[in-house]
Structure formats: C-alpha cells, structure tokens
Amino acid sequence: MKFAGTETYVADDDLALAVNAAITLERPLLVKGEPGTGKTELARQVAESLNLPIIEWHIKSTTRAQQGLYEYDAVSRLRDSQLGDERVHDIANYIKRGKLWDAFAATEKVVLLIDEIDKADIEFPNDLLQELDRMEFHVYETGETVRAATRPIVIITSNNEKELPDAFLRRCFFHYIRFPDAETMKRIVEVHFPGIKERLLTAALTQFYEIREMNGLKKRPSTSEVLDWLKLLLAEDLTPEDLRRDAKSALPKLHGALLKNEQDVQLFERLAFMARRGG
C-alpha cells in the first residue's frame, strides 16, 4: 500500500515519503502548510490512489472532540418519553455516531480526514489523544466499547493558526508542505490545464512569483489562487503581452483572483504612484 501521487495531484518525493511513513507506522499524518497548498485534497487523493473510502471531518471553531465520537440526544429521548414512544426504552436509539465511530466501525480500511484541527479549541487535540492512539473509545450511555476493526489511515491538516500540544504532536508523523517552486508549479498547472501555451505560462508564473516575493504583502497568493487566475487568463484569451504592467497601474490583470484584501491592492497602487512620481 504505497502512495505516489495521482494523475490529478502532483506529490513530490518528500510528501509521498511522509504519507507512506505514516501508513507504515500506523500513526496519524499531521500536514501543515499555507492555505491553498492542497492539504485537504491530499487526503482525498490518498484515498483515490489506494482505492479506499474516505470519511471527512471538517473542524469548526465550535466543534468539540466528543462530536467525533458520538452525541447523546437527551432532548429527543425526553420528548419521546412524554409522547409514549416505544423507542425510549432503548437508549441506543438516541446515540448519534460521529466521524471517528464511522471510521472505527468500517469493515475495510478507510482514510479519515480531520481537516483544519487548529480551528478548534486548544484542548481539542488533547481530548482525542487516547482515541487516536488506542483506536477505541467507551460509550458510557450503553456501556459498549467501540474498537477499530481495521486501523484507518488518519490525515490531519492544520493551517498553523495556533500551536498544537506537544503530547498530540508526539503521536503524529509530521510533514510541512513547502510552497511549490516554479518547476513543480508548472507540473501542477499542466495537470489542470494540459496544453497551456509555454509563453503564457512562463509570463504568468514569473509575475505570480514576483507578487509572492513582494515585501509588505499581507496575504501571499496560494496555489489554488494561481490556478483560478490562469483559468481566467485562458477564458479571456490573454497573451503574454497583455500581462505586462504599465506605470499607470502596477496591479496585475484580473488581480481579484490573486489579491484578497484592500491593503495589498493599496500596496500596488502606492507602487504605481511612486513609479509615476519617479518618472
């Protein structure tokens, strides 16, 4: 069971090695990197490559660890007892399975994605330590213990918005997805836009990396954003010459795909103003 990328996902050697190491060690793979570098998509592509089902648990700021195991709906049980419903005599009718329970109960190996774990409360990772380590948990309402029939491949993503506890990190295999260099980015673009003209691609990526390296930029554009930008360039049938910026406006063509806040737009406008004054 080896992952080496797919036809639609370019994985470098380091990333493939990290995925396969986590599978061999049977430890969760913790993937960090800039937003838009393909962390969430990695789990889906691992599932596709290994021909496995995937269970996705997308974390929000209000998500609690218990929700990944199960939830007991006491309110519904109380209502049913008042209505004389026969279901009330079996408490299992009011236990709602969480994503971890689904993964543990699967009869075949699955990929379990825990997406953006850093969005939740700081105690969230610690609350899952034992369950992810032992691959089991206890249901207090019914007295049963849920054990993983087949250990899932667990992939956890983080945008580095907050530090994760050391005890949690010790139980994971870690990989940081570095931002692709120009050559890797060309391979990624070729997957999404096969046959794109070399001159247009070179001109667009040159401008894209110049923008990313600009001092003072609040949010650097990501891989997903350059793909959106290229899609627009192709839709508008622009040429490399159309991408050239003049002194009147330092903003790139269709800049809304790359620049996502007013501070960065104003930065380019100030550069254009200074260039005109210097001229």
Side-chain angles (χ1 to χ4, degrees):
M1 188 173 285
K2 294 286 185 182
F3 173 71
T6 66
E7 292 182 357
T8 57
Y9 190 89
V10 176
D12 61 24
D13 292 341
D14 288 343
L15 179 55
L17 181 64
V19 172
N20 293 319
I23 293 173
T24 300
L25 293 171
E26 295 189 326
R27 289 188 177 273
L29 173 63
L30 174 60
V31 184
K32 291 187 178 183
E34 291 182 33
T37 49
K39 300 184 297 298
T40 302
E41 188 62 25
L42 171 65
R44 296 167 182 157
Q45 295 299 323
V46 168
E48 180 180 327
S49 172
L50 303 180
N51 196 27
L52 299 175
I54 185 169
I55 296 173
E56 301 186 16
W57 186 17
H58 299 283
I59 308 303
K60 301 177 181 178
S61 59
T62 56
T63 304
R64 295 177 292 107
Q66 181 64 31
Q67 293 172 310
L69 307 179
Y70 69 92
E71 291 184 278
Y72 169 50
D73 191 351
V75 174
S76 292
R77 192 181 187 205
L78 176 61
R79 182 195 62 222
D80 288 348
S81 68
Q82 293 169 339
L83 296 174
D85 195 320
E86 287 298 319
R87 296 174 70 250
V88 76
H89 299 297
D90 186 358
I91 197 171
N93 291 323
Y94 304 94
I95 301 292
K96 180 183 177 183
R97 290 184 176 190
K99 298 295 186 180
L100 265 70
W101 190 330
D102 289 340
F104 290 3
T107 56
E108 59 181 327
K109 186 179 282 293
V110 301
V111 175
L112 172 62
L113 167 65
I114 303 177
D115 195 32
E116 297 189 333
I117 195 171
D118 52 325
K119 278 188 176 180
D121 184 85
I122 188 63
E123 291 302 319
F124 180 93
N126 280 335
D127 292 341
L128 291 177
L129 283 180
Q130 181 171 315
E131 288 76 13
L132 290 176
D133 200 25
R134 298 184 180 181
M135 287 289 155
E136 67 177 38
F137 63 90
H138 187 70
V139 183
Y140 296 99
E141 289 78 5
T142 62
E144 65 180 308
T145 297
V146 178
R147 293 185 179 88
T150 304
R151 196 177 188 96
I153 297 171
V154 182
I155 297 178
I156 303 170
T157 72
S158 169
N159 287 327
N160 238 359
E161 291 183 7
K162 61 170 69 84
E163 289 295 322
L164 299 174
D166 289 345
F168 180 80
L169 295 175
R170 282 199 300 271
R171 288 165 169 80
C172 298
F173 190 92
F174 172 75
H175 182 75
Y176 184 86
I177 297 182
R178 295 189 300 271
F179 195 83
D181 58 25
E183 286 305 312
T184 304
M185 186 65 80
K186 282 187 177 182
R187 290 169 55 204
I188 293 172
V189 171
E190 281 288 350
V191 167
H192 292 269
F193 306 108
I196 187 172
K197 293 179 180 178
E198 181 68 24
R199 286 183 62 245
L200 175 63
L201 179 58
T202 300
L205 289 186
T206 298
Q207 191 170 128
F208 171 72
Y209 279 99
E210 287 175 354
I211 293 170
R212 271 189 60 87
E213 294 166 9
M214 183 173 293
N215 291 328
L217 206 63
K218 184 177 180 181
K219 183 196 175 302
R220 295 187 295 175
S222 67
T223 304
S224 61
E225 287 160 341
V226 73
L227 293 175
D228 286 345
W229 186 49
L230 285 167
K231 184 176 182 179
L232 290 173
L233 298 183
L234 292 171
E236 295 293 327
D237 197 24
L238 299 183
T239 66
E241 290 72 27
D242 293 327
L243 299 185
R244 292 175 183 167
R245 290 175 286 178
D246 55 38
K248 292 183 179 179
S249 174
L251 286 166
K253 290 286 191 298
L254 301 167
H255 64 271
L258 298 175
L259 305 177
K260 297 303 176 72
N261 59 68
E262 62 277 12
Q263 293 97 318
D264 290 341
V265 173
Q266 289 168 2
L267 174 62
F268 278 86
E269 291 172 343
R270 286 197 300 271
L271 290 174
F273 176 73
M274 291 168 64
R276 289 195 299 270
R277 287 189 64 181

